[in-house]
């Protein structure tokens, strides 16, 4: 039982490049989330998916897209990375409460 | 006004001290209250969860909720160096999925 896994752990992008952050959970949870965490800002919700086939915007969705591929997987895509997207990205899944993955540290230069 | 406010610290205490971490929130609709602990370079992990006013104890940790004041606290007794982490409060409305996190308080327990 791995819980919530995220890949990659680290990534450096140049401005304008695209990439997809992958997240998978093996706890059979319906809800999945993507957050970013910046110093002094706490965790901010980017997108969430209450169930397979549905996605909704969170607090800071601009510049991101998501795909709920199936019940297990929820990916986050940056189409054209900007330095303002330098952050630590966490995926989470939830039954009664949220369980977080280990995070992806993204730097955009 | 932010929905959840939390003193970011950093807070530094000697080993064995009682630690008090606090959050305030603005919306009385919030009914579920959580505390997460986040070690450096790790994801947050759920520490305590409560949905009612009053105290909830789990070992050295006590979560306290005062809905009338919109104030939540986490007390750590006999603090240990292994308690050194960032503590995030989180709140949720009863009927919605969205969780709102405070910015976190950084705690260091000095041996």
């Amino acid at each position: 039982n791995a819980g919530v896994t995220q890949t990659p752990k680290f990534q450096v992008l140049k401005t304008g490049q695209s990439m997809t952050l992958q997240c998978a959970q093996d706890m059979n949870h319906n809800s999945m989330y993507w957050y970013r965490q910046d110093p002094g800002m706490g965790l901010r919700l980017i997108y969430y998916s209450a169930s397979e086939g549905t996605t909704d915007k969170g607090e800071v969705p601009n510049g991101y897209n998501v795909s709920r591929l199936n019940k297990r997987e929820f990916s986050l895509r940056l189409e054209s990375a900007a330095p303002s997207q330098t952050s630590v990205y966490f995926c989470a899944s939830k039954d009664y409460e949220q369980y977080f993955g280990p995070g992806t540290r993204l730097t955009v230069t | 006004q932010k929905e959840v406010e939390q003193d970011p610290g950093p807070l530094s205490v000697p080993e064995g001290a009682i630690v008090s971490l606090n959050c305030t929130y603005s919306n009385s609709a919030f009914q579920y209250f959580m505390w997460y602990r986040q070690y450096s370079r790790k994801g947050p992990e759920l520490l305590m969860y409560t949905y009612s006013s009053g105290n909830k104890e789990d070992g050295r940790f006590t979560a306290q909720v005062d809905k009338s004041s919109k104030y939540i606290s986490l007390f750590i007794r006999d603090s240990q160096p292994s308690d050194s982490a960032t503590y995030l409060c989180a709140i949720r409305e009863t009927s919605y999925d969205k969780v709102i996190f405070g910015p976190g308080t950084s705690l260091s327990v000095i041996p």
Side-chain angles (χ1 to χ4, degrees):
Chain A
N1 187 339
V4 180
T5 57
Q6 292 182 237
T7 56
K9 287 187 168 51
F10 302 93
Q11 184 71 49
V12 179
L13 291 177
K14 291 187 184 343
T15 296
Q17 286 185 318
S18 62
M19 78 161 296
T20 300
L21 282 65
Q22 306 286 355
C23 174
Q25 53 96 5
D26 61 3
M27 296 175 282
N28 202 37
H29 292 166
N30 285 319
S31 300
M32 296 185 74
Y33 305 80
W34 276 106
Y35 292 90
R36 60 178 290 173
Q37 188 175 38
D38 303 290
M41 303 291 289
L43 284 160
R44 292 184 291 169
L45 183 64
I46 305 172
Y47 270 93
Y48 69 102
S49 171
S51 61
E52 186 179 350
T54 67
T55 60
D56 286 287
K57 294 179 181 179
E59 184 184 353
V60 289
N62 291 345
Y64 305 95
N65 285 301
V66 290
S67 295
R68 183 73 184 268
L69 304 168
N70 47 55
K71 193 171 186 179
R72 289 189 65 247
E73 298 171 290
F74 188 37
S75 62
L76 179 72
R77 182 157 178 87
L78 287 70
E79 290 292 352
S80 179
S84 61
Q85 294 177 304
T86 293
S87 188
V88 182
Y89 290 85
F90 287 102
C91 177
S93 71
K94 172 179 168 289
D95 52 7
Y96 293 102
E97 288 316 321
Q98 293 188 337
Y99 298 86
F100 285 83
T104 294
R105 281 168 175 73
L106 175 67
T107 301
V108 183
T109 61
Chain B
Q1 183 186 8
K2 289 184 181 177
E3 290 188 282
V4 185
E5 308 224 33
Q6 184 176 9
D7 185 341
L11 184 61
S12 184
V13 301
E15 183 175 354
I18 296 173
V19 176
S20 172
L21 304 166
N22 308 296
C23 284
T24 58
Y25 61 96
S26 57
N27 188 342
S28 58
F30 293 121
Q31 299 290 328
Y32 290 82
F33 308 94
M34 290 76 70
W35 284 96
Y36 284 79
R37 178 175 62 196
Q38 185 176 21
Y39 291 114
S40 180
R41 297 190 167 271
K42 300 288 187 184
E45 56 178 339
L46 183 65
L47 196 59
M48 300 280 289
Y49 166 98
T50 183
Y51 57 87
S52 59
S53 281
N55 294 351
K56 181 177 180 179
E57 219 173 281
D58 184 0
R60 296 184 295 111
F61 298 89
T62 300
Q64 187 176 80
V65 176
D66 181 349
K67 288 186 181 178
S68 62
S69 302
K70 301 190 189 70
Y71 195 84
I72 61 176
S73 301
L74 179 71
F75 298 97
I76 306 174
R77 289 186 299 281
D78 186 26
S79 56
Q80 303 294 310
S82 58
D83 296 328
S84 298
T86 296
Y87 291 81
L88 303 109
C89 62
I91 54 178
R92 177 163 64 92
E93 289 186 50
T94 306
S95 302
Y96 293 91
D97 226 18
K98 192 174 67 168
V99 177
I100 299 170
F101 287 85
T105 299
S106 175
L107 171 68
S108 293
V109 181
I110 311 301

